[in-house]
Amino acid sequence: MDKKEEQLLIDLTTARGVPGNEEEVREVFKAYAKDFAEDIFYDGLGSVIAKHVGDGGGPKVFISGHMDEVGFMVTKITDKGFIEFQTLGGWWGQVMLAQEVEIKTQAGKLVHGVIGSKPPHVLTPEVRNKPYDIKDMFIDIGASSEEEAKDWGVRPGDMITPYIQYKRMNDSKFLLAKAWDNRIGTAVSLRVLETLAAEGHPNCLFAGSDVMEEVGLRGARTSTHLVNPDIAIALDTGTAGDTPGMTPKEADSVLGKGPQVLIFDASMIPHKKLLNFVINVAEELEIPFQYTVITGGGTDAGQMHLTRDGVPSIAITVPVRYLHSHTSVIHEDDYLNTVKLVTEVVRRLDDKTVKELRSY
């Protein structure tokens, strides 16, 4: 991966964007896509879509990640200047305490803070030995009063994001950052757009990134309705099973072994012909991939496939360690192979192929 491509990942993961507050990520997307798109447009919620018409302008193919990351929202400032907050997206309380965060005010000021709680020294043994309840956590921004916090611009509704810097771990191919879920899917969408714009393709490609996936796949419903595609591919992340303590059943997905092709998740059973088509492309070109089942979650494909009269859809994901935390980890090769697989799938979705996939 060259420096330009890695800079895209740095820019995307550095951008702050919880559900409903995706402006920074959208600006990164637009700045990168503008050189490869004939048009960039938006749904009414702020999902962004870049259009590129290929040779002959064949079927409409929609590939999309999502811009939002799990984070928090300010709900109240206490009289002593501490911040009460609401989680946005699925958080496990055990990964939150003592983690640094940033509050972005309406004026764009960044206010640094740390997630705190009562010290364990004052807790009873019974309480101390249980996971700490998220509702009892707070954010300490170093303010001494509600008035001081307000003077800094903090107010209810402000976005709160994890604070961590992108790192290539010890010169390896393991990349650590916040928000791989789902800036890596957004990066795949942009890179496929760039490649096919340069090399050509037989269809009308819509490469996008949706808002508010983490709170119920909301942006995918509106963006897919707007595009009205013939085929849709959700680009997201999935759990890795290669860390200590995982059972053999949980250890199916390994970082570095390729993208995950979802054969089932809680939001969608993939279109069988499209699923077989994707697998056949991967096997023909010897692109490594992994079969994945997600029983407790879903992707934007869960809304894509239900749009209008129904859209043949599938989800292709990048495996990630420590999802929905401040510090998630991916493998560079999985990202590059996901770009390769999605590029080749889209390249082959010509009019004849799409008609066959959509025939019953």
Side-chain angles (χ1 to χ4, degrees):
M1 182 165 56
D2 62 30
K3 289 184 178 180
K4 178 185 175 183
E5 189 160 10
E6 188 164 19
Q7 188 61 50
L8 172 64
L9 302 185
I10 294 170
D11 292 344
L12 284 169
T13 54
T14 301
R16 305 162 192 86
V18 301
N21 294 264
E22 296 92 350
E23 295 87 355
E24 290 187 25
V25 190
R26 189 162 46 243
E27 290 304 312
V28 174
F29 185 102
K30 289 160 55 179
Y32 192 90
K34 63 181 176 62
D35 293 334
F36 315 112
E38 296 161 11
D39 187 23
I40 297 177
F41 58 99
Y42 317 90
D43 67 14
L45 300 181
S47 302
V48 59
I49 303 150
K51 177 181 179 181
H52 186 273
V53 179
D55 305 326
K60 293 192 288 186
V61 179
F62 185 30
I63 61 172
S64 190
H66 65 84
M67 288 184 282
D68 57 316
E69 62 187 291
V70 294
F72 316 97
M73 176 193 292
V74 176
T75 56
K76 181 181 177 181
I77 307 170
T78 72
D79 57 356
K80 292 185 178 180
F82 294 98
I83 306 301
E84 295 181 7
F85 62 88
Q86 167 69 44
T87 56
L88 297 174
W91 279 95
W92 187 36
Q94 289 181 242
V95 303
M96 290 171 53
L97 280 177
Q99 296 288 345
E100 295 178 72
V101 296
E102 287 181 321
I103 301 172
K104 186 175 181 181
T105 70
Q106 185 181 42
K109 179 181 178 180
L110 297 176
V111 178
H112 206 82
V114 61
I115 299 175
S117 69
K118 284 184 179 181
H121 311 74
V122 302
L123 301 177
T124 65
E126 181 182 9
V127 174
R128 188 164 58 241
N129 291 327
K130 293 181 179 179
Y132 201 83
D133 201 320
I134 294 175
K135 68 179 178 60
D136 295 324
M137 299 178 190
F138 53 83
I139 294 172
D140 185 345
I141 60 172
S144 57
S145 67
E146 179 182 4
E147 182 179 354
E148 185 173 22
K150 288 181 175 179
D151 286 344
W152 295 349
V154 179
R155 69 180 191 179
D158 284 345
M159 168 173 66
I160 309 170
T161 52
Y163 174 78
I164 183 175
Q165 292 183 322
Y166 171 100
K167 289 184 177 65
R168 180 176 289 274
M169 299 178 71
N170 305 306
D171 297 321
S172 71
K173 290 188 176 183
F174 292 89
L175 308 177
L176 179 148
K178 74 172 181 66
W180 284 130
D181 183 9
N182 182 31
R183 306 297 157 66
I184 196 62
T186 298
V188 172
S189 178
L190 287 166
R191 287 287 291 114
V192 173
L193 170 68
E194 177 184 6
T195 302
L196 291 176
E199 298 178 359
H201 59 95
N203 46 50
C204 190
L205 174 61
F206 296 85
S209 194
D210 299 321
V211 297
M212 293 190 283
E213 189 270 354
E214 297 292 358
V215 289
L217 318 182
R218 300 179 190 183
R221 179 186 299 185
T222 51
S223 67
T224 311
H225 186 275
L226 178 61
V227 172
N228 191 20
D230 297 298
I231 299 289
I233 302 173
L235 306 169
D236 210 321
T237 57
T239 56
D242 57 355
T243 51
M246 302 292 275
T247 67
K249 184 176 181 180
E250 295 166 335
D252 287 342
S253 291
V254 178
L255 260 63
K257 298 296 183 181
Q260 300 164 312
V261 177
L262 267 67
I263 58 174
F264 174 89
D265 70 38
S267 70
M268 182 196 67
I269 298 172
H271 187 273
K272 191 57 184 291
K273 284 186 178 181
L274 181 58
L275 172 65
N276 291 340
F277 177 76
V278 170
I279 291 169
N280 289 340
V281 170
E283 291 179 340
E284 176 190 339
L285 300 177
E286 298 183 343
I287 301 171
F289 73 96
Q290 308 176 71
Y291 293 103
T292 302
V293 172
I294 302 177
T295 58
T299 71
D300 275 341
Q303 285 294 336
M304 288 173 161
H305 81 290
L306 296 176
T307 298
R308 294 181 183 262
D309 298 328
V311 180
S313 303
I314 193 170
I316 301 175
T317 61
V318 177
V320 180
R321 293 177 183 165
Y322 325 122
L323 277 168
H324 287 206
S325 74
H326 278 59
T327 50
S328 50
V329 176
I330 68 167
H331 194 285
E332 178 181 335
D333 288 349
D334 294 334
Y335 161 62
L336 296 175
N337 280 315
T338 303
V339 172
K340 184 177 180 181
L341 175 58
V342 177
T343 299
E344 292 303 326
V345 166
V346 175
R347 196 196 309 273
R348 294 168 185 234
L349 287 172
D350 57 18
D351 188 61
K352 179 180 178 182
T353 301
V354 170
K355 284 181 178 177
E356 169 58 28
L357 292 175
R358 292 178 60 94
S359 67
Y360 298 99

